[in-house]
Amino acid sequence: DLQTGGYIEYENNTVKVGGVLQYRKLSIPIRQSTEPYSFFSFQGDNYLKNGIYYDAVFRNINLFGEWSYCFSNLTLAQNHGALISIHRKLDLSVLYRNYHPGFITFQTNGFGENSNAKNEKGLYLGYRIKLKKYLSIVGYYDLFQNLNSQFKSIAPSRGLDLWTELRYKPSKIFNAYYRFRKEKKQINSPNQPIYNHENNQITRHRVHSSYKLSKSIELRNRIETTLIKSNQPTTRGSLIYQDLILKPKNKAYQWSTRIALSRVEDYKNRIYSFEKSPLYDYPMFNHSYSGIRYYILFRYTTLSNTQLWFKYGYTQHDTPIESFDEQYAIGSGLNEVAGNKKYTFTLQLKHVFN
């Protein structure tokens, strides 16, 4: 793998403009997949790209953007946006994007609905409104269009993503927020002899609060629901959890615990939550089942630059009463555990040598 390139940039007090050039030569050519949505995907062993970017500030407006062109397949990707402070209580952000379906996305990080900066055109509007000193609203509205077929969509499609959050923080010891999100996409209808689009809509509601009983004890709780509507039967999911966090002042230890109850009718209704975990451990937990989740995390820090973490987790799935499947298991592959109960233990020791 050979990579080379360079850049040139000009900058003053208000404007920054630059250009980049990159060439890459792969040791093994990349072959195209036979799937229809891979028609425009890159194939070959080398490519050449360049780009022009800008960033300018004029009073309360920040303009920015970039054009990038691939000489190898003559494709263009671009995005342009603005951050605008209209009032001390109102901020707006706007972003337009247009990525060609065949744009080469290796080492590219572009804003968009898809994971890669290609096959997409869209307009994003974000906002922050400060209603009171302790009350604010933040959110965005994103309209997007996929210019060609993609995974789960046999033809060009379009959709929207609406997200808004009402934040309430009357004091340093209490804060809460309500979050609403609606995603609407066109996907393949699985019950048609020939794939046809159907509208798939996911609606999420979340209420979260945090309250400090004292300087060392904090309570956090959350209620979250999901609702999926399409040509298929409507499915629902819900999650409720309670956290207790203890951080004694001038003590070498701290611990936290959580108990969560989930009711999920389909895997598509799964709900994710962050858990406190040992350093470098994966903190995201997937509530894709009906049942309970419990964990406790203990952390101890010594004066000799040594830290000890211990985490115990317990997961239990509800099994249907009418089920006579004795082979019920949690997970799959190397992570599969027989039965409807799973126990996890994590022990981690860290020492810093001076």
Side-chain angles (χ1 to χ4, degrees), residues 4-6 20-25 42 45-51 68-75 103-104 106:
T4 184
V20 296
L21 180 69
Q22 182 202 24
Y23 173 76
R24 187 174 185 182
K25 171 71 174 178
F42 168 75
D45 62 356
N46 70 90
Y47 61 86
L48 178 65
K49 297 168 61 177
N50 77 337
S68 184
Y69 186 75
C70 293
F71 293 95
S72 304
N73 56 2
L74 308 181
T75 58
F103 184 72
I104 300 174
F106 299 128

Side-chain angles (χ1 to χ4, degrees), residues 36 48 54 73 80 106 109 132 163 166 206 235 301 312 328:
L48 178 65
Y54 64 92
N73 56 2
H80 309 278
F106 299 128
N109 186 17
K132 298 287 185 179
W163 184 96
L166 177 65
R206 176 190 292 181
T235 56
T301 304
Y312 165 74
Y328 187 91

Side-chain angles (χ1 to χ4, degrees), residues 142-153:
D142 187 30
L143 286 172
F144 55 87
Q145 178 183 2
N146 300 120
L147 306 175
N148 189 53
S149 62
Q150 59 175 359
F151 182 65
K152 292 187 177 181
S153 177

